[in-house]
Amino acid sequence: MEVHLSLREMLADLRDGVVPDDELAVFCLSFCTAVTRHHVGEDREVFPVLAARHPELRSFLDALQRDHVVIASILGRLNDLVGDSVKLGQELDGLAAVLETHFIGEEKRLAGVLNALDPSVGLTPLTEAVEFR
């Protein structure tokens, strides 16, 4: 949830125009990389562990992975739109809606399950995702 909070804050900075124009491309790339690393970490490290221990979550985890593909597609368009504030703003609004729905669902369904995991399982990719800030 800490990673989600940090990603939400980064996205809010992008949407609210807090990032200066001359830093926008680098900040956008950092944000996109952080989201991607977080989702790749979930897909490779976390979801297989959860699916093995909680088979009842498999369809939900599959849906989250499909979300990751949609989110990756949106992220792939962001850097190309940095010079066009109207289109960038629209894309960021869409991304915000998708990410918020994704994060809320994940937090509601998985927080208790994740909190019950042994920390030695090695799920560090999730917490390393926002070291760019």
Side-chain angles (χ1 to χ4, degrees):
M1 288 168 91
E2 288 178 26
V3 172
H4 289 179
L5 177 61
S6 183
L7 293 173
R8 283 176 173 119
E9 289 172 353
M10 290 178 79
L11 182 55
D13 287 349
L14 283 168
R15 293 177 74 207
D16 295 343
V18 173
V19 181
D21 288 345
D22 63 331
E23 297 175 19
L24 190 57
V26 172
F27 191 90
C28 192
L29 179 61
S30 294
F31 169 74
C32 292
T33 301
V35 172
T36 300
R37 283 184 63 190
H38 176 67
H39 286 163
V40 168
E42 287 179 330
D43 292 344
R44 291 185 184 165
E45 305 291 329
V46 179
F47 293 171
V49 170
L50 293 181
R53 293 182 185 187
H54 299 277
E56 72 278 8
L57 291 174
R58 285 188 180 142
S59 65
F60 180 69
L61 297 171
D62 289 344
L64 290 177
Q65 288 182 306
R66 287 190 299 274
D67 285 355
H68 292 172
V69 172
V70 170
I71 292 165
S73 175
I74 297 170
L75 293 174
R77 294 191 294 268
L78 288 182
N79 277 330
D80 294 335
L81 300 175
V82 166
D84 185 336
S85 61
V86 172
K87 287 184 181 177
L88 179 62
Q90 292 169 340
E91 201 70 31
L92 289 171
D93 289 345
L95 177 61
V98 171
L99 271 179
E100 190 59 25
T101 301
H102 177 79
F103 288 163
I104 288 171
E106 198 172 278
E107 291 163 3
K108 284 183 178 181
R109 291 282 305 267
L110 301 181
V113 175
L114 288 169
N115 288 339
L117 285 177
D118 179 346
S120 67
V121 171
L123 304 177
T124 56
L126 296 179
T127 57
E128 293 173 351
V130 291
E131 289 181 2
F132 301 100
R133 282 193 93 184

